Each structure stands twice: as structure tokens, then as C-alpha cells.
Amino acid sequence: MPLATQAVRHQLLPRTRAHFSLRCGGLKLASAFLVAGTALLSGCGAGPVTASSSANAAFSISPGTALIDTNCNGCNSLNDHASPVHQFSATLNSGGSAPVTWSVSGGDPASGAGRISANGQYTPPNYLSADRAQIMITAALKSDPSIRATSLLTLTPGFLQPLTPENAAVGAGGAVTVTGFLAEAGGAGEIHFALSNSPSGDSGGEGTLSATSCQRTRHSFTTCSVTYTAPATVSTGVTYVVATLPGSSAKIETAVLLNTVGVSSNPATHQGSLSAPMLLGSSGGNNNDFDEKGNTILDCCSGTLGALVQDSSGRQYLLSNNHVLARSDHAAVGDTVVQPGLIDNNCTPNGDGAGTVPVAALTAWLPLHSPQTNVDAAIAGVASHTVDTTGSILELGVRQTDGSLGAAPPGISSTEGKGESATLQLRVAKSGRTTGLTCGRVTAFDLDVSVDYYRDCAETKPYLTKLFTNQISVSGDHFSDAGDSGALIVDSANAEPVGLFFAGGIDAAGVSHGIANPAPDVLNALSTQLPGDSSFSFVGTTDHEVSCLNYGDSTISSAQARALSNSEFARQQAALAAGRALVNPSTGILGVAAGKSSDEPGSAALIVYVDENLTPSVPSAIENVRTIVIPATAHSVSLGSAPTTATVAGLRPLAASALTPALQAKRLLARKLMQQNSAFFAVGIGQSLDNPREAALVIYVDRERIPAQLPSLLNGVRTRYVFMDRLHVTRSYAAAFPAPRHCIPHTIVGPTFDDLFAPRPLDLP
């Protein structure tokens, strides 16, 4: 999905990464003016907020004192589901809510005071041009506006976007430079960097950091950089470079994957301008993918130029998403596709300035508004000598002598270029604009998923909500992020195409979930878009292995780290007696203990230890408390040394007979679940984490609207819940750019953006 520079929201529990929403993998850049005649990329919100409140005889407003940051983990007040809140409330002195009108005044001389909604939710300005700004929040009683209460806020700058790069890989002695951006022009702000074993910590980790270097000018955002160097001897694992702001609890991090094979990988190689012939897996998009006001470009979007396909006549095309190349149905045939995307060229279109190269012309796309369309894909005919004709993708090849990964085409020899079908737990890789080469596993298939689309980069103009069926979900730490939309997902064992990444996000465990259209479905759907009998195939080479960069998967460890509520603990203890009554070594049940569910994080469970040489029948729940089934020996159970979590490691893939009941239940229940409760926005087939020998219905739940009751079984099939924001085509993530530069004015010729794309009747799915 296209990239963005609005408020960079970060998840709260337990990691400090980007907001855990499912989103299309694009990014957006925004521009704003600091001084007259000087355009600047706009940041996310300003940073920490302190408030002092004045009351009156009728009512008071709160918070009276607050510490808030608009875009970083740990800086915000939180609601019940760990969402950042900048909420003010007015309370009558006699009790109850006071009916008031909210207003703001004061603020930064360049960016203003921000805004406050009718219900008291305050949003700071996009950036500050000084170290701090004073904001007055005022509430006036509706029945008598002369009766007022105020809070004085002090704003200081916050992080503009995630660190650059968000992830990287190095071998022994390897180095990578990490850069952070502050939503501040001039001033004296500085980022503090530290090494850590965890993304939210400030100590531990392997390697060393150089001294911090910051650049500050009145006409660009403050940037601070540090160089990380790995030790001379490493073991494979992740070390974190954690950035904090003095006086704030804000934390963001870069994950550095240390590896003993000496692989060096930095996603920055995917974001810059590439020499001809261009390699795939790189930044790119439609040259018109920007929002504008008057003659000024406000923001822009880009994604990933994912792969090369060819029709039956041998004509070659770039393949990416509709929302990357065709602007979610709002482009025109013949539109120029550029590399890098506008997000990596300071929102400067080709023709308005240097920095991008036209590489293709938009040819066709699968219309999102059509109920018959089930993929988010578009193709663009490549210009002569602009794109590598072998279809080579960045970092999909073997390790080079300098530690970097060479480019290579995808494998096509097993399927004759038609792509292979995904299977559960298949290890896959993708090469994308934002996170580069990363690997994960297929954790759900036959996924029904609802996606929100918008007409503009800023997501202020809703377009449609579309239901996709039979999709693939891939998960893993740092597998994908905004801007990776359009990347080709391949089988890591043979590089055969598996899917086209079009949406993703970070769940409450800090784990990335990438949603992909199955590769064979993409090719079949494209064949309907050109006149004549056109069939498409991937351009590639003989099957080959991909050097996987896998940052791990913290799904289970995060679930086990969560403390149980008092009510969950009480449920667990009440069920223990019934569980222990099942213990009978002669039938294969060796013991029962208290545990925590990984299928439903935060839920109590009972661990049932079973003889590893037998397959006893274990209920999915005991007195409505989930069970965790773990093979063990009688000796380990008696010593208390048996594991406390189940694992899929070493298990054979689930047989068709084990999947069939789940498939039947999903096809019967998925649509009903999503229609009856919009909190459920995706349902597919996966593997239970509490009992990996069983399939599960994988249900994605809106973390803002978690139902009070979540069944552990549906139609006799275990359920696994993933808590995150609804899936939508979000561009609210900042891009990684090499330096703050100025967006130039763009002269409008002919109809405006609004004229061309005004709302019109649509056939909604």
C-alpha cells in the first residue's frame, strides 16, 4: 500500500513498533509549510503534553495533568485496549458529564494549535518549529458560554516516523547506521539511542553504538543518527537499537538480526533510485499518486514494484497492486509508473523535478468496485531497457562475497510460471520496499477478509469496503510493513511465487500479519483484463532456495507474558479440580496444570500433559476453560520440568482429514460471523497454538471492539483470535527518507483531483 507521513501510531503491548492495524502496505508522505515559500514534509503529531487545569463553580475539565505523545509507544494515555488517547472530558461539580463546546488557541507560530473534536479528543499540530509550544484547551458551557474551564498544554516534539531502517541484518563485525526523525524544525531536541535485548528495553543487546550525531536547521526536521556495529563473534538472534526522547516515555526501535552466516541486508537498498535495467522488489508507484490543495502537493503514496509477468505473446509487464499502480481504481490507462515511488522522492512527480524514472505505463487492473474481482492487482507495460527482463528481484539470490544478497528472478520451473498454492506453515519470503527481504510462515489460508479503501492518500475520502475470499495470511516478526504492498511472496525453498502481498499490520503481540492474493488467482484474474485470449505467467528462472531472513515470531511468548485478570485466574482455579479428575496415566493423560492460552491471549487455560507415545482424547475446554495439550514423559511431569507451551516445531503438517472439519465450519460460519458482528473482520483456517495437532478457525478481531465473550469452540472446532485494527488501505505510516527535503509546488493542469474523482455510484460488494 502506499506510504504515508501522518501520525505514526505505535502499538503498546508489549512491543514498541508500528500501530497494530491490518493495512495495505503503502506509505504516505505529507508536506507542510514552516515558513512562507518553504514547503516541508509534515510530521506526525507533536510530542509529550503536560496540562494544568482551571475549574469553575459549575464544572471542571480533565486531565488536569497529562503526559501525552501522539505517535509513540508509552507516551499516551490508554483505553482498555491499549489505544493511544488524547481525550479531555468535562464533569459537572454535581456529578455527570458537562455539555460543553471545546476550542483550542495558541500553539506553534508555523503549525498552529492543533484541533479538538466535539467530544474533547485533542490532536496536536503536525510538527513544531521550536522546542515547545503552549496550547490552551478551553471548554465553554453550552447553556452559558461565559462559564469556562481551561487546561494549558505544553507540547514538545515527538518522533516523526519509525527509525530508518526499521529492520536490518548484519553478520559478525557488520555495521548499520540508524536514523531517527523528530517532528521539530530547529530547536535543540536530540534522540537517545541504546542497545537492548527487547524492543521496549534500554539495556542488554550485543554490539556497540557510536556517538549520536544530530542535524538541526530551521527549514528541515531534526535528524539524529547512530552507527550500530556487531561484535566480532555473534550467535543468530535479534538485538534492538532503541530510541527514546529525554523527558518522554516515547520508544521506537530498529531490529538488527545478527547471523552467523554473515548476511548483510538493509531495506534502504529497496528505497532509492536504481540504475537501468531496474530490479524488482523496489520502491515505485503511479506518478499521479498524491493529494494536492491549490498548486501544492500535500502528500503522496507509493508501494512496491513486485514482479515481472508476461502474456502469451511474450509482452512483459510490471505487477503490483491496484492501489499501488492504479490508485484504487482512480487512475487512467497510460498513467506513468515511476521508480522510486514519490514517497522516496519528496513527493516530487516526474516532470516536476528530478529523482524518478518512468519505467512503465499503466495497462490494466482488476476493478475493486466489481463484486466479481477477488484480487488487488494491476499491471503496467514496461518501457524498453528500463526493467530487468529476467524478472530479477532484489535480495532473492545468494550471498555475495561482501555479505550482501544478490538479486535473482523467482523460480518458475516447477509450475511453468503459474505459481504454487500455499500450505499451512509453509515458509515463505518476500522482498519489499520498506522491510526488504524477510521471511515468515503461512498461518492461515482460505481467508475471508474485509478491506476498507480510500480515494486519497490521507484517507479522508472513503471509497469502498471490499470482501476478499480465499486469501493467504503470513505472519512473523518484522515480516512486512507499510510500503511493502505489491511485493511478491515466494516459497523460500524454491522461490516459486505463492502470493501478492496487498495488506498487513501488527497485532497486539507485535507480530506482523501479511495478507496476500494467491499467485495463481492473480494470473487467472489478469487474463480477463486484456482483449483476446491472453494468459499470464511469471517471468523467472529455475527453482532455487532463498536466503531467509527470519526475525522470529513472538506470538506465543507475548501471550504467555500477559498477566491474567482476577476473573480469568478465578475461572482457571475453579476448573482445575475438574481437569485433575481426568488424569489417568493408563489412558495417556499424565497431569494437569494451570496455564495461559496462546489461541486467545489474556485467557486462562489448563495444561493437559499427554503421553508422547499415545494420542488420548482431550476436550478443547474444561468447564469453559481452554486446554493446552502438550506431549511429555511421566518423568518430566513428575519433576515439573515439562514445557508449559505447545509448539509446531517438529510436527508434520496437518493432514487433510484434520483440516476438513475446520474448512466446513469456516465456510458455514465465516460470513455469518462477519455480518452479525463487524468486530470480526477476517476468518480463515489455521493451526491451534494450544494444540497444534488440531486445526483452528483463525478469527481477526477489531481490538477496539472485542466482544465480551469469545467462544473457544465453533461447530466443534477450536478458535484462535488475532487482536488488531480493522484491515484498511492505510497510508498513515511515515516513509524512510534519506534527508528532509522540500516538496515543490505542483501546478494543476486541467481538472483537479476532486473533479476527476468525485463520488459516483458504485456496485459495492
Side-chain angles (χ1 to χ4, degrees), residues 488-511:
L488 187 68
I489 295 177
V490 302
D491 184 337
S492 64
N494 55 22
E496 284 278 353
V498 171
L500 184 66
F501 173 74
F502 77 101
I506 314 296
D507 70 13
V511 177

Side-chain angles (χ1 to χ4, degrees), residues 443-744:
T443 50
F445 69 98
D446 199 36
L447 187 74
D448 291 0
V449 60
S450 178
V451 185
D452 297 333
Y453 285 85
Y454 294 82
R455 297 176 183 275
D456 59 337
C457 289
E459 295 187 356
T460 62
K461 302 174 182 178
Y463 176 42
L464 58 81
T465 296
K466 186 173 182 65
L467 178 69
F468 292 89
T469 61
N470 192 38
Q471 304 300 295
I472 304 165
S473 178
V474 178
S475 68
D477 294 352
H478 300 277
F479 176 73
S480 59
D481 207 341
D484 288 329
S485 267
L488 187 68
I489 295 177
V490 302
D491 184 337
S492 64
N494 55 22
E496 284 278 353
V498 171
L500 184 66
F501 173 74
F502 77 101
I506 314 296
D507 70 13
V511 177
S512 298
H513 293 258
I515 310 299
N517 307 137
D521 291 357
V522 171
L523 296 184
N524 291 336
L526 287 173
S527 67
T528 66
Q529 298 305 300
L530 295 183
D533 185 19
S534 295
S535 67
F536 286 88
S537 58
F538 290 99
V539 176
T541 187
T542 304
D543 290 357
H544 60 90
E545 189 175 359
V546 178
S547 298
C548 254
L549 297 180
N550 194 323
Y551 291 79
D553 190 319
S554 55
T555 299
I556 293 177
S557 61
S558 174
Q560 297 305 306
R562 289 188 59 170
L564 295 180
S565 66
N566 290 338
S567 60
E568 283 300 302
F569 179 76
R571 285 201 321 118
Q572 178 192 72
Q573 295 304 303
L576 266 175
R580 286 169 176 157
L582 298 178
V583 175
N584 186 345
S586 65
T587 63
I589 298 181
L590 305 178
V592 172
K596 301 174 185 177
S597 173
S598 296
D599 281 338
E600 185 185 343
S603 177
L606 296 181
I607 301 172
V608 180
Y609 291 107
V610 299
D611 191 319
E612 60 186 10
N613 297 313
L614 301 174
T615 55
S617 176
V618 177
S620 301
I622 298 174
E623 294 191 352
N624 294 319
V625 174
R626 290 174 178 266
T627 58
I628 303 170
V629 182
I630 302 178
T633 64
H635 184 65
S636 65
V637 172
S638 64
L639 291 178
S641 60
T644 57
T645 58
T647 177
V648 299
L651 293 180
R652 294 180 180 179
L654 290 178
S657 59
L659 294 171
T660 298
L663 280 166
Q664 293 173 343
K666 179 262 170 182
R667 290 168 183 173
L668 177 66
L669 297 172
R671 198 67 56 89
K672 292 180 181 178
L673 283 173
M674 297 171 69
Q675 290 175 345
Q676 292 173 359
N677 191 336
S678 59
F680 303 127
F681 60 87
V683 182
I685 304 302
Q687 198 162 1
S688 169
L689 301 180
D690 289 339
N691 186 1
R693 287 175 172 77
E694 294 184 18
L697 294 176
V698 181
I699 303 173
Y700 290 82
V701 186
D702 185 341
R703 68 187 181 92
E704 300 291 345
R705 303 171 55 206
I706 299 175
Q709 300 296 324
L710 295 173
S712 59
L713 283 175
L714 285 173
N715 276 30
V717 178
R718 284 182 182 258
T719 54
R720 178 190 163 202
Y721 295 99
V722 180
F723 303 122
M724 56 200 309
D725 283 349
R726 279 185 52 82
L727 176 60
H728 63 107
V729 184
T730 178
R731 287 86 172 247
S732 60
Y733 277 72
F737 47 91
R741 296 172 291 183
H742 297 164
C743 286
I744 66 174

Side-chain angles (χ1 to χ4, degrees), residues 81 94 103 107 109 150 166 242 318 340 346 368 378 415 445 459-460 472 523 532 542 547 552 602 609 662 716 730:
H81 302 304
S94 59
S103 62
T150 61
E166 295 180 40
V242 180
L318 284 177
N346 193 45
L368 296 169
T415 64
F445 69 98
E459 295 187 356
T460 62
I472 304 165
L523 296 184
T542 304
S547 298
Y609 291 107
T730 178

